[in-house]
Amino acid sequence: MNKLTACPLDCYDACSVVYGEGKLKGDPEHPYTNGYLCPHLNHFWKQERITQPRLHGKPVTMEEALAHLQTLVRDGLDGNGVLHYRGSGNFGLMQAVTDHFFASVGATLTEGSLCDGAGEAGVVEGRGANRVLPPEQIEKSEVVVVWGRNIPVTNSHLLPMLKGKKLIVIDPVRTALAERADLHIQLKPMGDLFFAMLLARFIVIEGMHDEAYLEEHGEEYEDFYELTQTVRIKAVLEMIGLSLGDIGDVLAAFQEKRVVILTGVGVQKYRIGADVVRAIDAIGVLLGLFGKEGCGVGYLGSSASGIDSPFAKARRFEPKATAAFSDYDTVFVQGANPAAQMPDTNRVEDALAKAGHVVYFGLYENETSALAELVIPAKTFLEKNDVRTSYGHNALLPMPACESGGMGIGEYDLSRYLCEAFGVPIQSEEAYLEHFRSSGEAQGGKTVVKGREALPYAEGFETDDGMFAFLEEYDFDFEMHSDYFLITPKSPHSLNSQFSRETHVHMHPECGFAEGVLLRVLSETGEVTLPLRHDDRLRHDCVLIYSGTPGVNRLTPSLLSYEGKNACYQANKVKVEVC
Ligand SMILES: Nc1nc2c(c(=O)[nH]1)N[C@H]1C(S)=C(S)[C@@H](COP(=O)(O)OP(=O)(O)OC[C@H]3O[C@@H](n4cnc5c(=O)[nH]c(N)nc54)[C@H](O)[C@@H]3O)O[C@H]1N2
Ligand SMILES: Nc1nc2c(c(=O)[nH]1)N[C@H]1C(S)=C(S)[C@@H](COP(=O)(O)OP(=O)(O)OC[C@H]3O[C@@H](n4cnc5c(=O)[nH]c(N)nc54)[C@H](O)[C@@H]3O)O[C@H]1N2
Ligand code: SF4
Ligand SMILES: [Mo]
């Protein structure tokens, strides 16, 4: 019999999945999933799993593994502490049940993000809260501006909704979407803050701003207009690789009535990421796009919006992007591969080696499982109960267990074991699941998270005074000319470090190096050697290495964004040399 579940992966689309006879299919009834899945789930079975727990490299039983885990946690709590480092390998809400145990016994958890935290900080500063722009609004638009988001790769279920619309892509790479767009602005990486401010300035100069809307929702806009006047037009356009014509072309598209801007994580992998996203939001405010049918600015919305956590809260935190593993006796890694996916791999490896004991709790072998003392296999999403939400739409999707038995242990069972061993109260699995399920309500034939609006910000912004808080100042000290920009977007074949990972460095064919040659790529933080793949979608001043490529994060720095405690994967420039 078929069962309905949802894809567990960290992805905008959060697909509804039909499971039957050992096969996974896209739910044809679900309005966004539309009956198809992407390669990650289509090939889900091919990925080899960890089948047995391992201690110091030797197989042990699950009972032995859990008993050892208990000892490591106890010793850590009695000594220099325990760090619980949870990643985004599985996006189910029940993944956080381990937080309940670790927080209750006084362990340290992580704060900030490797992902969208800088942009989210900018959104929250400006709008007061980070709401999802529902796909229904995107569908009703006439013009879609895709700004630092690679929709065909990372958010492919949105593609049908872009059909027939005027499409503008702002991206240093000529992505597949840029290829078919009406306009592609191939700016320099890190050029977005200035481009957004210049667009804002010309919107006001041309009188395209919505004065009635601004009086009600953005009364400080004139101060922001003044700030944009500090940007020297000619020098800055030259610096970001654009012309006045590019500004004119984008403004022309803004003349249409229903405009949507979709911002992705690409624009905010820098220390000033919050300011960039806030400046892009300002364009939406000037044009009066928020709270209007078929309009809006959508970033990765908060997936936790509308969900109350039933789990204990921690009091101590480490920043996720720069966690000091070596300060702890016991580090428990769950659903993550920090030895590859955190920035500054050389530092991370060193810090993990100096931590007392590293435990890895996951599905697949990776750089982190290779250096863990204790490895505990998890169950897949098909073998345990969960519920999920998304940062790309408002649906609440149940994920009931579809298969029984199997290898590994689920997050709830592992947490219950630890809670019982340490005398920490824990509710039944069903009570938590019911708590999450009851956060949903029926809306137009599907279940959505209660309280999430079909048209966010229709009543104004959620700041203290209800007004959009425009950017008041900015810092910009990025070297835009020497060396190469490093861009590290998502790959079509992997989900960060899960599944089929990329192995090349990409540069334009006119970069002066032969296809296939081994290139050493160097930054302030480290180096990596990879074979070169020519890629004429790139600017001449860019080196592209996909997220998940082994070694890419040897090049990226241990820096936090100025706001949002986010990793800054594109903050280092790089040099290249032939090996
Ligand atoms: N196939 C696949 N899908 C995924 C993932 C995956 O690994 N693989 N990961 C998931 C996760 S965890 C996330 S967070 C989302 C993120 O998904 P997206 O938001 O799409 O993020 P990225 O692919 O990192 O970058 C998006 C685009 O930004 C561009 N870019 C890079 N630097 C700049 C810049 O300075 N300015 C501008 N304007 N653009 C820039 C890149 O060229 C790229 O096309 O995707 C999710 N979906
Ligand atoms: N250079 C560069 N680095 C990046 C990025 C980038 O764009 N460029 N992107 C960053 C972003 S946006 C993100 S979100 C992070 C992601 O980085 P991580 O959070 O480290 O995620 P993954 O690499 O997907 O690794 C997830 C692991 O989770 C495990 N897992 C999967 N399902 C389950 C489960 O049900 N239970 C348990 N216990 N484990 C499970 C799998 O074994 C898998 O190896 O990477 C960041 N790193
Ligand atoms: S990874 Fe994204 S697009 Fe692919 S099946 Fe999962 S939710 Fe759908
Ligand atoms: Mo992410």
Side-chain angles (χ1 to χ4, degrees):
M1 209 185 68
N2 287 344
K3 271 196 163 179
L4 205 57
T5 180
C7 173
L9 298 173
D10 181 349
C11 171
Y12 291 93
D13 293 353
C15 289
S16 177
V17 176
V18 180
Y19 171 85
E21 291 159 16
K23 289 208 173 76
L24 300 171
K25 293 213 175 91
D27 177 2
E29 307 292 325
H30 196 273
Y32 321 128
T33 306
N34 225 346
Y36 68 98
L37 302 173
C38 80
H40 304 315
L41 268 217
N42 287 334
H43 302 149
F44 189 72
W45 311 102
K46 287 198 189 141
Q47 189 63 28
E48 201 177 319
R49 291 173 62 181
I50 304 175
T51 54
Q52 200 173 2
R54 208 163 66 224
L55 179 58
H56 295 297
K58 300 213 167 59
V60 291
T61 64
M62 188 59 85
E63 289 66 36
E64 289 166 330
L66 293 176
H68 191 74
L69 173 62
Q70 187 187 326
T71 309
L72 291 184
V73 173
R74 208 175 289 281
D75 290 353
L77 293 173
D78 291 342
N80 291 323
V82 172
L83 175 66
H84 175 38
Y85 183 100
R86 188 161 63 77
S88 58
N90 179 321
F91 225 70
L93 295 166
M94 280 296 273
Q95 287 287 304
V97 65
T98 49
D99 294 12
H100 176 74
F101 164 73
F102 285 104
S104 299
V105 294
T108 303
L109 272 66
T110 59
E111 62 178 354
S113 152
L114 300 184
C115 179
D116 60 343
E120 166 147 294
V123 168
V124 172
E125 277 167 292
R127 310 184 205 165
N130 183 15
R131 307 285 175 216
V132 169
L133 177 69
E136 290 82 352
Q137 301 303 339
I138 302 169
E139 201 160 22
K140 284 185 234 165
S141 69
E142 292 165 315
V143 176
V144 181
V145 181
V146 181
W147 201 325
R149 188 190 295 193
N150 192 1
I151 291 179
V153 168
T154 62
N155 186 194
S156 60
H157 289 79
L158 214 53
L159 282 175
M161 294 180 196
L162 304 184
K163 276 216 183 91
K165 317 229 138 116
K166 185 175 280 181
L167 193 59
I168 298 171
V169 172
I170 305 176
D171 198 305
V173 180
R174 200 180 67 243
T175 58
L177 199 65
E179 197 84 59
R180 58 177 250 213
D182 297 278
L183 178 64
H184 176 207
I185 303 288
Q186 193 167 12
L187 81 180
K188 274 193 198 176
M190 187 64 172
D192 307 275
L193 177 66
F194 286 129
F195 190 51
M197 299 233 290
L198 286 176
L199 285 172
R201 179 166 170 185
F202 279 95
I203 285 170
V204 178
I205 292 174
E206 300 289 323
M208 292 167 68
H209 55 304
D210 183 338
E211 281 185 75
Y213 177 87
L214 288 166
E215 202 169 297
E216 235 183 293
H217 302 296
E219 59 183 13
E220 304 285 334
Y221 83 92
E222 280 171 347
D223 293 344
F224 179 62
Y225 174 57
E226 256 176 54
L227 187 71
T228 66
Q229 287 173 315
T230 63
V231 179
R232 285 163 50 229
I233 300 174
K234 203 163 160 267
V236 163
L237 278 173
E238 200 234 79
M239 180 177 81
I240 65 177
L242 298 180
S243 68
L244 265 180
D246 293 317
I247 293 186
D249 290 344
V250 178
L251 290 193
F254 285 161
Q255 304 282 2
E256 304 288 339
K257 280 194 206 65
R258 294 193 303 278
V259 176
V260 154
I261 301 175
L262 302 175
T263 317
V265 298
V267 300
Q268 54 96 67
K269 298 182 183 186
Y270 308 101
R271 300 201 84 181
I272 60 161
D275 289 354
V276 178
V277 171
R278 199 163 157 203
I280 295 172
D281 269 5
I283 295 172
V285 179
L286 289 172
L287 295 170
L289 302 181
F290 286 93
K292 206 196 257 173
E293 287 288 331
C295 297
V297 186
Y299 178 58
L300 294 83
S302 165
S303 57
S305 165
I307 307 286
D308 284 329
S309 170
F311 303 130
K313 304 238 173 344
R315 282 189 306 256
R316 273 189 280 264
F317 297 95
E318 275 284 332
K320 197 165 190 182
T322 56
F325 297 113
S326 53
D327 290 354
Y328 296 85
D329 280 341
T330 300
V331 174
F332 181 84
V333 177
Q334 173 190 330
N337 184 10
Q341 291 307 110
M342 272 174 77
D344 202 354
T345 304
N346 294 350
R347 183 202 74 83
V348 172
E349 282 175 344
D350 185 56
L352 283 170
K354 289 185 181 142
H357 309 272
V358 176
V359 182
Y360 171 84
F361 177 36
L363 282 178
Y364 312 125
E365 300 288 5
N366 56 33
E367 288 88 337
T368 310
S369 70
L371 47 76
E373 159 181 331
L374 177 64
V375 174
I376 303 178
K379 286 198 176 299
T380 70
F381 75 109
L382 294 168
E383 300 158 344
K384 60 195 175 200
N385 294 300
D386 215 324
V387 176
R388 79 163 289 174
T389 56
S390 162
Y391 47 84
H393 56 70
N394 287 331
L396 182 98
L397 301 130
M399 304 168 69
C402 298
E403 293 177 340
S404 57
M407 54 193 89
I409 184 168
E411 285 67 25
Y412 177 80
D413 288 339
L414 181 129
S415 303
R416 194 186 53 194
Y417 173 91
L418 289 171
C419 282
E420 283 171 0
F422 285 76
V424 173
I426 180 167
Q427 297 178 34
S428 69
E429 183 180 29
E430 185 48 33
Y432 290 129
L433 289 166
E434 186 45 36
H435 169 86
F436 290 130
R437 286 192 297 254
S438 68
S439 313
E441 65 184 359
Q443 195 185 90
K446 55 186 189 291
T447 305
V448 298
V449 180
K450 265 187 216 161
R452 288 213 196 167
E453 295 140 316
L455 189 56
Y457 312 106
E459 310 295 320
F461 292 104
E462 297 175 59
T463 49
D464 290 343
D465 61 1
M467 291 284 166
F468 181 78
F470 285 96
L471 195 63
E472 288 169 348
E473 54 183 2
Y474 65 88
D475 248 341
F476 191 89
D477 57 3
F478 204 76
E479 169 48 54
M480 296 292 279
H481 296 289
S482 63
D483 301 335
Y484 291 97
F485 292 93
L486 171 68
I487 42 182
T488 94
K490 309 302 184 190
S491 144
H493 309 112
S494 77
L495 201 298
N496 295 306
S497 75
Q498 302 191 71
F499 314 120
S500 184
R501 296 164 69 175
E502 308 280 347
T503 50
H504 286 77
V505 47
H506 296 238
M507 291 180 78
H508 194 276
E510 286 158 16
C511 63
F513 305 109
E515 167 101 5
V517 74
L518 270 188
L519 276 191
R520 185 178 294 127
V521 188
L522 308 101
S523 80
E524 254 173 41
T525 347
E527 60 176 74
V528 61
T529 300
L530 298 167
L532 173 66
R533 182 163 286 164
H534 281 167
D535 193 338
D536 70 0
R537 305 168 309 152
L538 303 183
R539 292 174 53 95
H540 290 72
D541 50 11
C542 291
V543 165
L544 182 150
I545 308 178
Y546 285 110
S547 175
T549 305
V552 56
N553 282 318
R554 295 194 190 280
L555 303 171
T556 58
S558 288
L559 287 176
L560 294 179
S561 55
Y562 292 127
E563 284 142 285
K565 296 196 171 123
N566 203 49
C568 302
Y569 291 106
Q570 296 183 176
N572 270 356
K573 297 200 79 176
V574 296
K575 294 184 195 299
V576 289
E577 51 189 51
V578 178
C579 282

